[in-house]
Amino acid sequence: MAREAVSTTSGPVTGLTQNGVRVFKGVPYATARRFAKPVAPDPWTEPLSCTEHGAYAPQPGHLDHAAEAACLSLNIWAPATDRPLPVLFFVHGGAFVTGGGADYDGAFLAAHGPAVIVTINYRLGPLGFLQLHRHGLAEASNLALQDTLAALDWVRANIAKFGGDPDAITLSGQSAGASMVIALATLPQARGKFIRALALSAPGRNIMSAEHADDVARRVIDELELSRDPGKIASVPLQELFAAVDRVGRRIADETEQGTLFGPVLDGTVIPREPRDVFADGTLRDIPLWLGSCRDEMVMFLKSTPPAAMIRTTERQLRAAFGDVGWERLLSCYRATARPDEDPYEALLSDAFWHRPMADLARLHAGAGGAVWLSRFDHRPSLEPFLSQGPTHGADNACLWAHLPDFIDRPILRRKGGPMTLGDVEVATRFQSDVLRFVTRGRPDAAEAWPPCTPGSEPVALFDQPFRVVSLKDSARSLLWTELLAQSGAPQAHPIAKSAAVSA
């Protein structure tokens, strides 16, 4: 494995070349004091070895030796090339509290694009999402999103040195990372810095209200007994801070409409506008958008112990929007139309929290003149937890990052990879090819058998055996949703997607 040095705006870095792909891991893009904005790292002159992943962002299970200021790093996989390559900029998921770029090895995607693949770390949990700007720490607002924007700026400034095209960046993310991408894409500070966006399994509530974020911050401060001097939270030991957040989280799950602690926040400064409104008014009509989800998203959360708070929250919000009679009508419809292997309750919640809000966002973007594609991942990967739970949350992500014919290890998630079946390889090949085609050419389907959505048509690509494109708009379930939304007085706004905006 040959070493290669590349100069950056902070200093030279060295990586390794493996099978024709240059790999740079743990490249610092910023540094930050606790609850402060990210700033450029101190420059260096001697080559910095970037052959190992950088420090994980502090998170449950990784607190004992956490290096807070050193966690803001990124990883680059760059094929050797004589022409600038498009860039896939990936933001990891993990419910805003776990994860990191180390779980995503981009070597296979880079070689097969060809494309430059970038994965990033950003601050998690209270360090990235606790809104303290109204509690004595003026900079502490949407810090994780500010980290992500700093990483994007670093990529724009430096990626040409690695063979990437700074004018051909695709923002992408999965789960919490997809929410980050949707918010990031709408920021004035990000305008002109990317040309496409891909969001996989973005939660229905892509943004939280400032009131909810302030309530969470107040509860954490009170839990730490710092109400008289909130600024001292900046020096609380990590173990104490995360333990207090955990206690608040368990209580808040049943006490608030949101049910969860963290996410991007409509603070009026970093995020000045509700992202859905930005898509709706046509500001992003020139940005091609791919929105995807997994068929059985909610199974993983129903089977968690105890079941995730979003289960109770979603049912509660649907009952509030449609009344108990409307809820029972929905559940009866799902029971009557269920597949033999389908849990009607899970399918209803998956539609409510994941699929329909994404379709709603697609509708807004298409209505404003934007190109947008919808997909659903229906294939069950032969890897746990999907082998026992079906195509639940993350099934598409496991196939996207696979090194065919094997699934990769995920060290932070503590999930082992393994060999793929022929069916896995077939579906993953199609999925990877379409993602790379979207990154390199701006549309996912070479044969144009999968058309973009239009105001009158919402085709959905199903990644399964076989791959097929269907319309779900006129199904019995969809027609009932349309009727109930009309009766509720808000036919254009899905109740889960609009909940944060209404409470803001």
Side-chain angles (χ1 to χ4, degrees):
M1 292 184 291
R3 286 184 174 267
E4 181 172 345
V6 175
S7 63
T8 76
T9 49
S10 297
V13 297
T14 59
L16 298 174
T17 298
Q18 301 171 310
N19 300 319
V21 175
R22 296 170 298 156
V23 183
F24 300 83
K25 297 178 180 178
V27 180
Y29 69 82
T31 186
R33 294 176 293 104
R34 186 186 294 184
F35 300 130
K37 295 178 180 179
V39 296
D42 292 333
W44 60 87
T45 56
E46 293 299 316
L48 179 67
S49 177
C50 292
T51 59
E52 301 290 338
H53 287 292
Y56 297 165
Q59 57 192 278
H62 297 285
L63 294 178
D64 291 341
H65 305 290
E68 289 186 54
C71 71
L72 301 183
S73 66
L74 51 78
N75 314 296
I76 302 168
W77 290 265
T81 179
D82 57 0
R83 61 184 175 88
L85 294 176
V87 180
L88 175 68
F89 178 95
F90 182 76
V91 185
H92 70 81
F96 307 105
V97 296
T98 63
D103 265 353
Y104 306 92
D105 188 313
F108 190 87
L109 288 175
H112 286 77
V116 174
I117 309 298
V118 178
T119 69
I120 72 168
N121 288 353
Y122 56 92
R123 281 174 286 182
L124 300 168
L127 303 178
F129 294 95
L130 198 59
Q131 300 291 104
L132 295 167
H133 60 296
R134 298 182 185 176
H135 299 272
L137 293 164
E139 295 185 357
S141 181
N142 277 306
L143 289 174
L145 199 62
Q146 294 191 59
D147 293 346
T148 308
L149 184 60
L152 179 61
D153 287 338
W154 189 97
V155 169
R156 285 272 299 174
N158 292 281
I159 206 64
K161 298 289 185 65
F162 297 85
D165 185 347
D167 295 319
I169 296 173
T170 296
L171 300 181
S172 65
Q174 186 263 344
S175 191
S179 285
M180 297 277 283
V181 162
I182 289 171
L184 180 64
T186 67
L187 300 186
Q189 308 95 300
R191 200 71 43 79
K193 297 177 181 178
F194 67 100
I195 62 171
R196 304 178 186 102
L198 165 63
L200 299 176
S201 296
R205 291 182 295 274
N206 287 308
I207 193 163
M208 292 189 169
S209 70
E211 286 77 9
H212 175 73
D214 286 342
D215 181 46
V216 170
R218 178 187 57 76
R219 288 171 182 247
V220 172
I221 289 168
D222 289 348
E223 186 70 21
L224 291 166
E225 299 181 350
L226 295 176
S227 57
R228 293 188 176 181
D229 191 359
K232 287 185 176 180
I233 195 173
S235 59
V236 169
L238 281 178
Q239 296 281 6
E240 292 183 26
L241 175 61
F242 275 75
V245 167
D246 181 64
R247 292 192 296 272
V248 170
R250 280 185 269 119
R251 288 198 295 271
I252 214 168
D254 289 319
E255 294 176 12
T256 71
E257 261 193 22
Q258 294 286 2
T260 55
L261 289 180
F262 298 129
V265 176
L266 188 61
D267 59 358
T269 52
V270 178
I271 304 180
R273 298 178 60 200
E274 159 64 47
R276 300 175 72 83
D277 292 343
V278 180
F279 280 98
D281 71 12
T283 300
L284 298 175
R285 66 167 58 90
D286 294 331
I287 302 298
L289 179 65
W290 177 351
L291 301 171
S293 57
C294 296
R295 188 190 71 190
D296 302 337
E297 291 277 4
M298 274 298 195
V299 170
M300 177 182 293
F301 304 100
L302 278 166
K303 290 184 178 295
S304 61
T305 306
M310 69 174 73
I311 303 296
R312 299 185 298 277
T313 302
T314 301
E315 179 177 340
R316 190 164 61 234
Q317 290 179 336
L318 290 177
R319 287 182 181 272
F322 301 145
D324 291 341
V325 172
W327 164 261
E328 292 299 335
R329 285 187 66 195
L330 273 173
L331 192 54
S332 294
C333 177
Y334 276 73
R335 286 170 176 156
T337 56
R339 303 183 316 272
D341 63 341
E342 184 177 55
D343 175 351
Y345 181 70
E346 180 277 326
L348 170 53
L349 295 184
S350 286
D351 274 356
F353 192 85
W354 305 94
H355 305 141
R356 294 191 62 82
M358 285 299 90
D360 188 44
L361 182 58
R363 199 172 299 121
L364 294 176
H365 193 51
V372 54
W373 288 264
L374 277 173
S375 70
R376 198 180 75 191
F377 201 84
D378 282 22
H379 175 71
R380 178 198 299 261
S382 57
L383 176 77
E384 290 297 349
F386 316 109
L387 195 58
S388 57
Q389 296 183 5
T392 188
H393 190 67
D396 50 0
N397 214 31
C399 289
L400 175 59
W401 295 94
H403 288 199
L404 307 183
D406 295 295
F407 294 109
I408 62 171
D409 293 343
R410 308 282 290 280
I412 304 176
L413 274 179
R414 296 186 175 93
R415 288 183 187 168
K416 298 294 289 182
M420 305 172 79
T421 66
L422 292 177
D424 292 334
V425 172
E426 177 186 327
V427 176
T429 297
R430 172 75 195 226
F431 192 61
Q432 290 181 344
S433 297
D434 281 0
V435 167
L436 290 170
R437 190 175 292 109
F438 183 70
V439 170
T440 58
R441 302 180 188 178
R443 60 175 306 125
D445 181 39
E448 301 188 11
W450 171 17
C453 297
T454 66
S457 173
E458 295 170 13
V460 181
L462 304 184
F463 285 89
D464 200 357
Q465 292 179 286
F467 172 86
R468 58 197 186 278
V469 178
V470 302
S471 175
L472 304 178
K473 189 174 181 180
D474 296 326
S475 69
R477 294 176 178 183
S478 181
L479 292 173
L480 179 56
W481 276 102
T482 300
E483 177 187 339
L484 292 173
L485 285 167
Q487 290 175 355
S488 73
Q492 301 303 316
H494 185 74
I496 304 300
K498 70 177 182 176
S499 60
V502 169
S503 60

